[in-house]
mmCIF file of all heavy atoms in Angstrom:
data_model
loop_
_atom_site.group_PDB
_atom_site.id
_atom_site.type_symbol
_atom_site.label_atom_id
_atom_site.label_comp_id
_atom_site.label_asym_id
_atom_site.label_seq_id
_atom_site.Cartn_x
_atom_site.Cartn_y
_atom_site.Cartn_z
ATOM 1 N N HIS A 162 -70.951 -157.089 -92.252
ATOM 2 C CA HIS A 162 -71.822 -155.993 -92.850
ATOM 3 C C HIS A 162 -72.161 -156.207 -94.322
ATOM 4 O O HIS A 162 -72.869 -155.435 -94.910
ATOM 5 C CB HIS A 162 -71.149 -154.653 -92.653
ATOM 6 C CG HIS A 162 -71.392 -154.023 -91.325
ATOM 7 N ND1 HIS A 162 -71.685 -152.764 -91.072
ATOM 8 C CD2 HIS A 162 -71.554 -154.621 -90.129
ATOM 9 C CE1 HIS A 162 -71.939 -152.506 -89.823
ATOM 10 N NE2 HIS A 162 -71.824 -153.678 -89.203
ATOM 11 N N THR A 195 -73.227 -148.943 -94.679
ATOM 12 C CA THR A 195 -73.853 -150.145 -94.236
ATOM 13 C C THR A 195 -74.736 -149.843 -93.012
ATOM 14 O O THR A 195 -75.522 -150.686 -92.562
ATOM 15 C CB THR A 195 -72.861 -151.243 -93.888
ATOM 16 O OG1 THR A 195 -72.011 -150.684 -92.872
ATOM 17 C CG2 THR A 195 -72.039 -151.674 -95.102
ATOM 18 N N HIS A 196 -74.593 -148.675 -92.453
ATOM 19 C CA HIS A 196 -75.374 -148.263 -91.295
ATOM 20 C C HIS A 196 -75.363 -146.708 -91.225
ATOM 21 O O HIS A 196 -74.612 -146.075 -92.000
ATOM 22 C CB HIS A 196 -74.877 -148.857 -90.015
ATOM 23 C CG HIS A 196 -73.393 -148.736 -89.730
ATOM 24 N ND1 HIS A 196 -72.811 -149.270 -88.571
ATOM 25 C CD2 HIS A 196 -72.403 -148.196 -90.470
ATOM 26 C CE1 HIS A 196 -71.469 -149.007 -88.650
ATOM 27 N NE2 HIS A 196 -71.205 -148.423 -89.782
ATOM 28 N N THR A 197 -76.168 -146.106 -90.345
ATOM 29 C CA THR A 197 -76.172 -144.643 -90.241
ATOM 30 C C THR A 197 -75.108 -144.132 -89.292
ATOM 31 O O THR A 197 -74.933 -142.936 -89.113
ATOM 32 C CB THR A 197 -77.555 -144.162 -89.793
ATOM 33 O OG1 THR A 197 -78.041 -145.034 -88.831
ATOM 34 C CG2 THR A 197 -78.529 -144.113 -90.951
ATOM 35 N N SER A 198 -74.329 -145.131 -88.688
ATOM 36 C CA SER A 198 -73.324 -144.657 -87.670
ATOM 37 C C SER A 198 -72.280 -143.699 -88.264
ATOM 38 O O SER A 198 -71.758 -142.887 -87.497
ATOM 39 C CB SER A 198 -72.650 -145.914 -87.097
ATOM 40 O OG SER A 198 -73.661 -146.753 -86.505
ATOM 41 N N GLN A 201 -72.685 -140.278 -87.188
ATOM 42 C CA GLN A 201 -72.112 -139.926 -85.860
ATOM 43 C C GLN A 201 -70.746 -139.292 -86.042
ATOM 44 O O GLN A 201 -70.437 -138.287 -85.428
ATOM 45 C CB GLN A 201 -71.882 -141.161 -85.006
ATOM 46 C CG GLN A 201 -73.073 -141.829 -84.472
ATOM 47 C CD GLN A 201 -72.667 -142.937 -83.461
ATOM 48 O OE1 GLN A 201 -71.616 -142.849 -82.842
ATOM 49 N NE2 GLN A 201 -73.521 -143.904 -83.297
ATOM 50 N N ARG A 222 -76.958 -153.199 -97.607
ATOM 51 C CA ARG A 222 -76.130 -154.373 -97.435
ATOM 52 C C ARG A 222 -76.519 -155.388 -98.466
ATOM 53 O O ARG A 222 -77.704 -155.463 -98.876
ATOM 54 C CB ARG A 222 -76.344 -154.953 -96.017
ATOM 55 C CG ARG A 222 -75.785 -154.059 -94.956
ATOM 56 C CD ARG A 222 -75.848 -154.666 -93.596
ATOM 57 N NE ARG A 222 -75.656 -153.649 -92.580
ATOM 58 C CZ ARG A 222 -75.638 -153.865 -91.269
ATOM 59 N NH1 ARG A 222 -75.788 -155.027 -90.797
ATOM 60 N NH2 ARG A 222 -75.479 -152.870 -90.427
ATOM 61 N N PHE A 233 -82.232 -150.453 -96.985
ATOM 62 C CA PHE A 233 -83.172 -150.394 -95.856
ATOM 63 C C PHE A 233 -82.895 -149.051 -95.140
ATOM 64 O O PHE A 233 -82.176 -148.250 -95.659
ATOM 65 C CB PHE A 233 -83.052 -151.599 -94.956
ATOM 66 C CG PHE A 233 -81.645 -151.865 -94.402
ATOM 67 C CD1 PHE A 233 -81.345 -151.561 -93.116
ATOM 68 C CD2 PHE A 233 -80.628 -152.359 -95.248
ATOM 69 C CE1 PHE A 233 -80.061 -151.773 -92.621
ATOM 70 C CE2 PHE A 233 -79.345 -152.548 -94.717
ATOM 71 C CZ PHE A 233 -79.086 -152.276 -93.432
ATOM 72 N N GLN A 235 -82.304 -146.853 -91.398
ATOM 73 C CA GLN A 235 -81.998 -146.862 -89.954
ATOM 74 C C GLN A 235 -82.168 -145.429 -89.418
ATOM 75 O O GLN A 235 -82.132 -144.435 -90.107
ATOM 76 C CB GLN A 235 -80.544 -147.222 -89.762
ATOM 77 C CG GLN A 235 -80.260 -148.721 -89.942
ATOM 78 C CD GLN A 235 -78.814 -149.037 -89.529
ATOM 79 O OE1 GLN A 235 -77.978 -148.195 -89.316
ATOM 80 N NE2 GLN A 235 -78.605 -150.360 -89.276
ATOM 81 N N GLU A 237 -80.200 -143.363 -86.294
ATOM 82 C CA GLU A 237 -79.171 -143.390 -85.359
ATOM 83 C C GLU A 237 -79.430 -142.298 -84.280
ATOM 84 O O GLU A 237 -80.061 -141.276 -84.634
ATOM 85 C CB GLU A 237 -77.899 -143.026 -86.099
ATOM 86 C CG GLU A 237 -76.630 -143.267 -85.411
ATOM 87 C CD GLU A 237 -76.175 -144.723 -85.594
ATOM 88 O OE1 GLU A 237 -76.784 -145.383 -86.404
ATOM 89 O OE2 GLU A 237 -75.244 -145.072 -84.896
ATOM 90 N N GLY A 238 -79.012 -142.478 -83.084
ATOM 91 C CA GLY A 238 -79.125 -141.416 -82.072
ATOM 92 C C GLY A 238 -77.732 -141.179 -81.465
ATOM 93 O O GLY A 238 -76.974 -142.178 -81.275
ATOM 94 N N PHE A 276 -70.692 -154.232 -80.146
ATOM 95 C CA PHE A 276 -70.490 -153.372 -81.335
ATOM 96 C C PHE A 276 -69.098 -152.754 -81.174
ATOM 97 O O PHE A 276 -68.789 -152.400 -80.039
ATOM 98 C CB PHE A 276 -71.519 -152.303 -81.451
ATOM 99 C CG PHE A 276 -72.988 -152.811 -81.501
ATOM 100 C CD1 PHE A 276 -73.753 -152.699 -80.357
ATOM 101 C CD2 PHE A 276 -73.464 -153.367 -82.695
ATOM 102 C CE1 PHE A 276 -75.062 -153.136 -80.441
ATOM 103 C CE2 PHE A 276 -74.737 -153.828 -82.715
ATOM 104 C CZ PHE A 276 -75.559 -153.762 -81.588
ATOM 105 N N PHE A 278 -68.087 -149.967 -81.858
ATOM 106 C CA PHE A 278 -68.052 -148.526 -81.556
ATOM 107 C C PHE A 278 -68.690 -148.156 -80.175
ATOM 108 O O PHE A 278 -68.845 -146.979 -79.922
ATOM 109 C CB PHE A 278 -68.765 -147.751 -82.661
ATOM 110 C CG PHE A 278 -69.945 -148.515 -83.240
ATOM 111 C CD1 PHE A 278 -71.226 -148.310 -82.750
ATOM 112 C CD2 PHE A 278 -69.721 -149.364 -84.316
ATOM 113 C CE1 PHE A 278 -72.289 -149.016 -83.289
ATOM 114 C CE2 PHE A 278 -70.813 -150.046 -84.875
ATOM 115 C CZ PHE A 278 -72.042 -149.887 -84.361
ATOM 116 N N THR A 279 -69.145 -149.166 -79.414
ATOM 117 C CA THR A 279 -69.702 -148.860 -78.061
ATOM 118 C C THR A 279 -69.104 -149.780 -77.047
ATOM 119 O O THR A 279 -68.748 -150.894 -77.350
ATOM 120 C CB THR A 279 -71.253 -149.003 -78.085
ATOM 121 O OG1 THR A 279 -71.584 -150.196 -78.805
ATOM 122 C CG2 THR A 279 -71.972 -147.830 -78.694
ATOM 123 N N LEU A 283 -75.230 -152.902 -75.862
ATOM 124 C CA LEU A 283 -76.451 -153.579 -75.416
ATOM 125 C C LEU A 283 -77.375 -153.714 -76.598
ATOM 126 O O LEU A 283 -77.314 -152.940 -77.553
ATOM 127 C CB LEU A 283 -77.167 -152.714 -74.350
ATOM 128 C CG LEU A 283 -76.362 -152.222 -73.172
ATOM 129 C CD1 LEU A 283 -76.847 -150.921 -72.673
ATOM 130 C CD2 LEU A 283 -76.415 -153.269 -72.101
ATOM 131 N N LEU A 308 -83.394 -152.723 -81.276
ATOM 132 C CA LEU A 308 -82.248 -151.812 -81.488
ATOM 133 C C LEU A 308 -80.994 -152.271 -80.798
ATOM 134 O O LEU A 308 -80.992 -153.074 -79.881
ATOM 135 C CB LEU A 308 -82.627 -150.392 -81.136
ATOM 136 C CG LEU A 308 -82.956 -150.075 -79.727
ATOM 137 C CD1 LEU A 308 -81.695 -149.575 -78.924
ATOM 138 C CD2 LEU A 308 -83.973 -148.923 -79.631
ATOM 139 N N GLY A 309 -79.888 -151.638 -81.221
ATOM 140 C CA GLY A 309 -78.603 -151.778 -80.572
ATOM 141 C C GLY A 309 -78.165 -150.431 -80.030
ATOM 142 O O GLY A 309 -78.502 -149.403 -80.589
ATOM 143 N N CYS A 310 -77.396 -150.475 -78.899
ATOM 144 C CA CYS A 310 -76.958 -149.157 -78.284
ATOM 145 C C CYS A 310 -75.802 -149.389 -77.370
ATOM 146 O O CYS A 310 -75.323 -150.513 -77.228
ATOM 147 C CB CYS A 310 -78.119 -148.588 -77.523
ATOM 148 S SG CYS A 310 -78.759 -149.614 -76.105
ATOM 149 N N GLY A 311 -75.318 -148.322 -76.795
ATOM 150 C CA GLY A 311 -74.208 -148.418 -75.874
ATOM 151 C C GLY A 311 -73.617 -147.074 -75.590
ATOM 152 O O GLY A 311 -74.014 -146.094 -76.096
ATOM 153 N N MET A 312 -72.594 -147.083 -74.706
ATOM 154 C CA MET A 312 -71.760 -145.888 -74.470
ATOM 155 C C MET A 312 -70.735 -145.782 -75.565
ATOM 156 O O MET A 312 -70.050 -146.777 -75.886
ATOM 157 C CB MET A 312 -71.033 -145.961 -73.124
ATOM 158 C CG MET A 312 -71.946 -146.027 -71.920
ATOM 159 S SD MET A 312 -73.046 -144.556 -71.749
ATOM 160 C CE MET A 312 -71.900 -143.240 -71.381
ATOM 161 N N PHE A 331 -73.694 -141.536 -75.337
ATOM 162 C CA PHE A 331 -74.209 -142.818 -75.769
ATOM 163 C C PHE A 331 -74.809 -142.731 -77.161
ATOM 164 O O PHE A 331 -75.000 -141.574 -77.678
ATOM 165 C CB PHE A 331 -75.266 -143.387 -74.782
ATOM 166 C CG PHE A 331 -76.323 -142.390 -74.455
ATOM 167 C CD1 PHE A 331 -77.398 -142.087 -75.238
ATOM 168 C CD2 PHE A 331 -76.284 -141.677 -73.164
ATOM 169 C CE1 PHE A 331 -78.464 -141.237 -74.896
ATOM 170 C CE2 PHE A 331 -77.272 -140.793 -72.820
ATOM 171 C CZ PHE A 331 -78.337 -140.577 -73.642
ATOM 172 N N ALA A 332 -75.050 -143.898 -77.763
ATOM 173 C CA ALA A 332 -75.591 -143.900 -79.168
ATOM 174 C C ALA A 332 -76.506 -145.078 -79.251
ATOM 175 O O ALA A 332 -76.461 -146.019 -78.492
ATOM 176 C CB ALA A 332 -74.476 -143.984 -80.144
ATOM 177 N N TRP A 333 -77.378 -145.018 -80.246
ATOM 178 C CA TRP A 333 -78.185 -146.185 -80.522
ATOM 179 C C TRP A 333 -78.493 -146.248 -82.040
ATOM 180 O O TRP A 333 -78.385 -145.193 -82.726
ATOM 181 C CB TRP A 333 -79.483 -146.224 -79.741
ATOM 182 C CG TRP A 333 -80.475 -145.172 -80.114
ATOM 183 C CD1 TRP A 333 -81.461 -145.297 -81.085
ATOM 184 C CD2 TRP A 333 -80.577 -143.837 -79.635
ATOM 185 N NE1 TRP A 333 -82.153 -144.154 -81.156
ATOM 186 C CE2 TRP A 333 -81.646 -143.252 -80.320
ATOM 187 C CE3 TRP A 333 -79.882 -143.109 -78.661
ATOM 188 C CZ2 TRP A 333 -82.014 -141.900 -80.058
ATOM 189 C CZ3 TRP A 333 -80.240 -141.795 -78.438
ATOM 190 C CH2 TRP A 333 -81.328 -141.201 -79.138
ATOM 191 N N GLY A 334 -78.874 -147.419 -82.584
ATOM 192 C CA GLY A 334 -79.193 -147.526 -83.964
ATOM 193 C C GLY A 334 -80.399 -148.469 -84.060
ATOM 194 O O GLY A 334 -80.455 -149.526 -83.444
ATOM 195 N N MET A 335 -81.363 -148.060 -84.884
ATOM 196 C CA MET A 335 -82.627 -148.820 -84.941
ATOM 197 C C MET A 335 -83.075 -148.939 -86.395
ATOM 198 O O MET A 335 -82.827 -148.000 -87.165
ATOM 199 C CB MET A 335 -83.628 -147.929 -84.176
ATOM 200 C CG MET A 335 -84.968 -148.509 -83.892
ATOM 201 S SD MET A 335 -85.699 -147.601 -82.521
ATOM 202 C CE MET A 335 -85.580 -145.926 -82.963
HETATM 203 N N1 DAH B 1 -74.790 -149.594 -86.543
HETATM 204 C C1 DAH B 1 -75.392 -150.725 -85.978
HETATM 205 C C2 DAH B 1 -75.917 -151.689 -87.002
HETATM 206 O O1 DAH B 1 -76.098 -151.289 -88.080
HETATM 207 C C3 DAH B 1 -76.537 -150.334 -85.033
HETATM 208 C C4 DAH B 1 -76.038 -149.619 -83.805
HETATM 209 C C5 DAH B 1 -75.778 -150.297 -82.682
HETATM 210 C C6 DAH B 1 -75.840 -148.260 -83.865
HETATM 211 C C7 DAH B 1 -75.335 -149.670 -81.553
HETATM 212 C C8 DAH B 1 -75.409 -147.593 -82.729
HETATM 213 C C9 DAH B 1 -75.127 -148.334 -81.607
HETATM 214 O O2 DAH B 1 -75.258 -146.287 -82.694
HETATM 215 O O3 DAH B 1 -74.703 -147.692 -80.454
HETATM 216 O O4 DAH B 1 -76.071 -152.823 -86.756
#
Side-chain angles (χ1 to χ4, degrees):
H162 276 220
T195 57
H196 49 179
T197 41
S198 304
Q201 285 190 28
R222 291 186 198 182
F233 57 105
Q235 288 189 340
E237 194 83 10
F276 302 104
F278 36 90
T279 43
L283 308 150
L308 62 92
C310 61
M312 295 301 291
F331 50 80
W333 70 91
M335 187 159 53

